[in-house]
Amino acid sequence: MSHPFTPGPVDRAIGRRAGWVAVCAFVLLASLTLWVMRASEPLLPTDAGLHSWSVAHRPAWAAAAARAVTDTGTGVIPYAVLFLVGMYVGRTARQRCTVALALIVCLGAGQALRYTAMSVVARPRPPVGDWVAHASGWSFPSGHSTTAAMTAALAIAALSFGSRRGSRLAVAVIGLWGVAVGLTRVYLGVHWFTDVLGGWLFAVGWVCLVVWAYARWAPAVGRKEA
C-alpha cells in the first residue's frame, strides 16, 4: 500500500512543472527587482497611473471595505487559514497535524525570505499623504500581498494533493482572496503596483518550489516509513 502522502506519477509530473514555474517566477522577480532598484525615477509607468487612479476613486465606504480585506492578509489570519486547511485535508490526526505544521512552516519561511529581500531593496513607499491605511517598513515586495498569495497558493496546493480534496468553489474563493488583498494595497495608497506584482511573483516562486520539493522527496519518505 502506498504512503498517503506519496505522489503518484501524475503528482511527480506536476512537481516537475512546478519546478519550472518556480524558476520562471524567480527570474521575473529578479528582473523586476533590478528594474526597481535601477529606475532613475521612483515611479515606474504602471505605478504612477494606478496610484493616481486609486487616489482619485476612493470614497469612504470603498476605503473601509478595502481596509477590511487588507487586514486579512497579515497577522494571525493567514496562519489560521492554513491550520484549518491542514485539519481538513488530513485523514488521521497525525496527518492533520503534520500537514498543518508543514503549511505554517512554509509560510513562515517564505515571510522571512520576503522580509530579507525587502530590506535589501529598501524601496520607499508612496507619499504618506495618499495613505488611507497604516503601513510600515519598506515597500518592495509588498508584505500583505506576498503573505496572502503564499497562503492562498499553499492552501490550494494542500487541497489539491491532500487526502481530502477541496471543492472548485473553495479553491476559487481562496485564489480570489489572495489576489484581492494585493490589489487593496494599491487602492489604499500604501504600495506601488510593482510592489504587489513582486509579492505575487515571490509567492508563486516560493510555493512552486515547495511543491517541487514535496513531489521530489515525499516518495523517499513514504518508502522509508513503509
Side-chain angles (χ1 to χ4, degrees), residues 32-132:
L32 180 62
T33 302
L34 289 174
W35 188 24
V36 166
M37 295 179 70
R38 295 187 177 184
S40 59
E41 298 292 333
L43 297 178
L44 300 179
T46 54
D47 289 335
L50 290 175
H51 181 77
S52 298
W53 184 92
S54 297
V55 172
H57 299 81
R58 204 164 54 191
W61 66 267
R67 282 193 296 268
V69 173
T70 209
D71 287 343
T72 64
T74 189
V76 71
I77 292 178
Y79 288 94
V81 169
L82 293 181
F83 175 80
L84 292 175
V85 169
M87 291 296 104
Y88 172 79
V89 301
R91 183 181 298 118
T92 66
R94 181 181 178 183
Q95 286 182 12
R96 295 187 187 104
C97 293
T98 300
V99 175
L101 178 61
L103 292 174
I104 289 172
V105 169
C106 288
L107 176 59
Q111 285 183 311
L113 290 173
R114 195 280 314 175
Y115 186 84
T116 301
M118 179 191 70
S119 301
V120 171
V121 177
R123 186 189 197 188
R125 290 179 180 270
V128 178
D130 294 336
W131 299 5
V132 288

Side-chain angles (χ1 to χ4, degrees), residues 4-5 89-91 95 99 157-165 214:
F5 286 99
V89 301
R91 183 181 298 118
Q95 286 182 12
V99 175
L159 292 171
S160 300
F161 296 116
S163 300
R164 297 175 63 188
R165 305 297 176 89
Y214 170 80

Side-chain angles (χ1 to χ4, degrees), residues 134-179:
H134 173 73
S136 61
W138 298 108
S139 193
F140 181 94
S142 165
H144 283 68
S145 304
T146 307
T147 298
M150 283 194 299
T151 301
L154 286 168
I156 291 171
L159 292 171
S160 300
F161 296 116
S163 300
R164 297 175 63 188
R165 305 297 176 89
S167 67
R168 291 183 179 179
L169 177 60
V171 169
V173 169
I174 292 172
L176 288 173
W177 166 76
V179 172

Side-chain angles (χ1 to χ4, degrees), residues 169-198:
L169 177 60
V171 169
V173 169
I174 292 172
L176 288 173
W177 166 76
V179 172
V181 171
L183 295 178
T184 61
R185 304 307 287 167
V186 178
Y187 189 69
L188 294 170
V190 294
H191 275 291
W192 308 113
F193 177 71
T194 43
D195 300 333
V196 174
L197 181 59

